[in-house]
Amino acid sequence: MDGNGRWAQQRNKRRTAGHKAGVEAVREAVSYARKKGIQALTLFAFSSENWQRPKDEISVLMDLFSFVLKSEVKKLNKNDIRLKVIGDISAFDEKLREKIRAAEALTKSNQSLILNIAANYGGRWDIINAAKSLFQKVSSNECSIDDIDEASFSQHISTHGLADLDLLIRTGGDHRISNFLLWQCAYAEFYFTDTLWPDFKEDLFAKAVEDFSLRQRRFGLTGEQIMTQDIEPKAC
Ligand code: FPP
């Protein structure tokens, strides 16, 4: 969800006004994903590197997360949306952690859409976390080192249980991943747009999905194999 700061600066406002405007784009994206039957939507709200931002911006972002969790959770629940926060939430204050736990508990049985909010998240953190869990299992003889493969590793990643990532959209004009879902990106399609996040409305999300639907995903096979043979592409 990149571009909030620039969106605000273009309007001679504080960067934090951009984050507030970004909340409306979050609502639209969630509503679109729910309507389209997308299985899971993961929004990058706060990276492990964002702690280095000015203190007042961090403070506004924390208040905003808290506010959004409280104000939106009933609506999410009513729409059968399951909310999960992925990332190291131990760094957040207890009040925010309690709101996260309450929102996750309330929505845990919902199935129409999984909404992952990546907060204090880093793709490298995610991979290290999975490695640590597996190492613990090997140490306590719950599994052997030979049991570690891509499938078992995936089960210890924060998005475990979800299908492989299909489409990664980055708003704001930069063409990089910035430590987001690194493991999950293996065979994902990328879509970059110059649109700043607060302006990323439903029609633009639909355009990205349409672009994705026109791509040929080969997963290492040749185009001919995909077109002519009955081979199921296998993502890792
Ligand atoms: C990146 O834009 C955006 C963020 C670091 C924060 C995103 C947060 C929200 C949209 C608020 C609510 C979200 C949820 C899910 C509760 P930037 O500040 O890096 O923009 P810039 O590149 O223009 O400076």
Side-chain angles (χ1 to χ4, degrees):
M1 300 192 284
D2 205 8
N4 292 347
R6 279 166 288 160
W7 184 92
Q9 281 159 347
Q10 284 171 6
R11 289 160 179 77
N12 293 321
K13 292 181 176 175
R14 290 170 190 232
R15 293 176 49 81
T16 48
H19 298 314
K20 288 175 190 160
V23 174
E24 190 46 43
V26 168
R27 288 194 191 99
E28 280 215 23
V30 172
S31 147
Y32 174 79
R34 171 73 176 85
K35 203 163 61 185
K36 283 286 156 193
I38 290 170
Q39 187 202 12
L41 175 70
T42 301
L43 298 172
F44 204 179
F46 195 84
S47 76
S48 30
E49 292 75 29
N50 286 153
W51 291 114
Q52 293 159 44
R53 291 196 172 199
K55 277 200 169 63
D56 59 339
E57 182 170 343
I58 295 175
S59 162
V60 168
L61 275 170
M62 294 302 137
D63 289 349
L64 206 53
F65 295 151
S66 216
F67 170 76
V68 171
L69 276 171
K70 198 162 182 254
S71 64
E72 304 293 313
V73 70
K74 279 191 190 145
K75 202 157 58 171
L76 292 177
N77 196 37
K78 206 171 115 209
N79 285 287
D80 197 33
I81 298 169
R82 178 173 186 181
L83 180 112
K84 286 174 99 174
V85 174
I86 59 169
D88 182 7
I89 67 160
S90 68
F92 296 138
D93 74 27
E94 179 48 29
K95 272 191 187 159
L96 181 53
R97 278 187 280 157
E98 181 44 40
K99 281 191 183 129
I100 292 172
R101 282 194 289 267
E104 288 184 334
L106 180 73
T107 61
K108 74 174 191 300
S109 309
N110 297 343
Q111 290 185 353
S112 294
L113 171 68
I114 311 279
L115 174 61
N116 290 318
I117 303 294
N120 194 22
Y121 177 88
R124 289 178 174 174
W125 167 86
D126 204 356
I127 293 168
I128 288 172
N129 227 22
K132 280 185 181 166
S133 305
L134 277 164
F135 181 74
Q136 262 165 1
K137 286 193 171 163
V138 173
S139 307
S140 58
N141 291 323
E142 272 178 77
C143 76
S144 108
I145 197 144
D146 295 326
D147 295 329
I148 300 177
D149 57 14
E150 289 178 13
S152 62
F153 200 89
S154 291
Q155 281 165 21
H156 292 81
I157 282 283
S158 61
T159 50
H160 60 89
L162 295 179
D164 285 312
L165 180 64
D166 288 316
L167 173 63
L168 187 142
I169 301 172
R170 181 175 184 141
T171 59
D174 286 321
H175 294 193
R176 52 177 175 256
I177 308 180
S178 300
N179 205 8
F180 188 50
L181 301 179
L182 298 180
W183 171 268
Q184 296 89 334
C185 271
Y187 276 95
E189 296 293 322
F190 288 73
Y191 184 88
F192 296 104
T193 168
D194 289 340
T195 303
L196 305 175
W197 175 255
D199 292 328
F200 190 73
K201 297 293 160 61
E202 181 170 325
D203 56 329
L204 297 178
F205 196 165
K207 197 168 156 231
V209 171
E210 199 204 335
D211 186 279
F212 164 80
S213 72
L214 298 172
R215 298 184 191 182
Q216 185 189 53
R217 303 184 75 193
R218 294 192 291 279
F219 300 99
L221 304 184
T222 67
E224 289 71 30
Q225 281 176 303
I226 298 288
M227 297 295 283
T228 60
Q229 296 176 21
D230 195 17
I231 297 174
E232 276 288 302
K234 192 177 172 299
C236 40

